[in-house]
Amino acid sequence: MDLFHESLVGSASSEAPRCPSWRCCLRTWRGWSLLPSWPPTRTSRLEPFNKPLCLFHTSLLVCIMSLTTHADNLTLTTVLWFDTQAEEAAKFYTSVFPNSKILHSQRYSEAGQEVHGQEPGSILFVEFDLDGHRFSGLNGGRHVSFNHAVSFMIDCADQKEVDYYWGKLSEGGDVTKQECGWLADKFGVSWQVVPKRLKEMLVSEDVAAAGRASVAMMGMKKLDIEGLEKAFKGE
């Protein structure tokens, strides 16, 4: 266990770790009263959830497994909260994105079942890599859900890539949540499938042309580069 992990679960007598990033971590977790006692004594921030200890327990485990301090940097992992579909989602996403793979997974055990309330042997989380971007899928129950306040943008080189990612990720998703290159996949995760050419248009010094491209974009669901180009040129 490294110093970051010790700072989360260590006793009150433990010496503070000499890590440049640990103070930020401690400030974040101290609000949950994890240090130095367990279980948490302050629950005001947990009240919106039905099973605060269960959720805190699973979130803590994922934090410990997903965040690893190094000498000069911090590895950041995006954690996606699912009900029970974390493994299914990991398999789906790694089939869509090239150079991707499932790294490892962890299952719930009988230990602490009175806290986490999950079936022993079921998936707790699965960690996977999508072309260099690391994710963890957490099976935390139906306590929270995805919304488009957080989305993942895919910069596409051409229309072929736009068509590919839009087709794969929108399959089984909510069609009412498709607009301006945005979509929600079948798990509720939001994506932006954006051609690089559009970004070039929108930052053009020709303000009028950029405005026409922007208006054209707003009338589309899946983005069409040819249509955007025509609008940009005023055709």
Side-chain angles (χ1 to χ4, degrees):
M1 180 178 292
D2 61 26
L3 291 176
F4 174 76
H5 300 160
E6 290 176 358
S7 72
L8 289 179
V9 299
S11 66
S13 61
S14 298
E15 183 179 352
R18 298 177 181 177
C19 170
S21 62
W22 73 273
R23 291 180 179 83
C24 176
C25 301
L26 287 182
R27 282 197 298 270
T28 300
W29 285 96
R30 192 174 284 127
W32 299 76
S33 294
L34 179 61
L35 294 175
S37 62
W38 177 263
T41 56
R42 290 174 56 187
T43 59
S44 60
R45 300 187 185 187
L46 301 174
E47 287 173 358
F49 304 114
N50 295 327
K51 296 183 178 180
L53 291 183
C54 168
L55 301 185
F56 189 80
H57 176 76
T58 54
S59 299
L60 172 61
L61 288 177
V62 171
C63 179
I64 290 175
M65 295 300 294
S66 298
L67 294 177
T68 306
T69 53
H70 299 282
D72 299 314
N73 63 350
L74 179 69
T75 298
L76 296 179
T77 300
T78 299
V79 180
L80 301 176
W81 185 302
F82 298 92
D83 178 8
T84 60
Q85 315 98 320
E87 187 172 37
E88 178 188 353
K91 290 179 179 178
F92 172 66
Y93 294 139
T94 53
S95 73
V96 171
F97 291 87
N99 306 314
S100 301
K101 60 183 177 180
I102 294 177
L103 301 174
H104 58 81
S105 60
Q106 181 176 335
R107 297 180 181 275
Y108 282 102
S109 65
E110 293 183 0
Q113 188 181 16
E114 68 281 2
V115 176
H116 60 69
Q118 302 294 328
E119 185 69 25
S122 62
I123 291 289
L124 166 60
F125 80 92
V126 54
E127 192 161 11
F128 54 101
D129 184 282
L130 300 184
D131 199 17
H133 188 135
R134 182 166 293 194
F135 290 83
S136 278
L138 162 69
N139 282 334
R142 299 180 181 179
H143 307 286
V144 294
S145 58
F146 297 111
N147 63 59
H148 60 275
V150 174
S151 62
F152 299 97
M153 181 180 292
I154 306 171
D155 290 323
C156 299
D158 51 31
Q159 190 65 48
K160 182 178 180 180
E161 280 197 357
V162 171
D163 294 343
Y164 170 78
Y165 285 111
W166 185 274
K168 291 289 186 180
L169 294 171
S170 65
E171 184 178 351
D174 186 347
V175 296
T176 67
K177 296 181 179 180
Q178 297 177 359
E179 188 174 10
C180 305
W182 293 62
L183 66 87
D185 66 25
K186 59 185 176 182
F187 303 105
V189 177
S190 293
W191 302 84
Q192 296 184 58
V193 185
V194 181
K196 294 179 181 178
R197 177 58 185 139
L198 174 61
K199 292 185 176 181
E200 296 171 354
M201 296 180 203
L202 296 181
V203 298
S204 171
E205 293 182 0
D206 187 337
V207 177
R212 291 193 298 269
S214 179
V215 170
M217 174 196 69
M218 293 178 187
M220 299 177 179
K221 290 189 175 182
K222 181 179 71 173
L223 298 182
D224 174 58
I225 299 177
E226 183 179 357
L228 294 168
E229 288 281 13
K230 288 181 177 180
F232 183 77
K233 295 175 182 177
E235 297 178 357

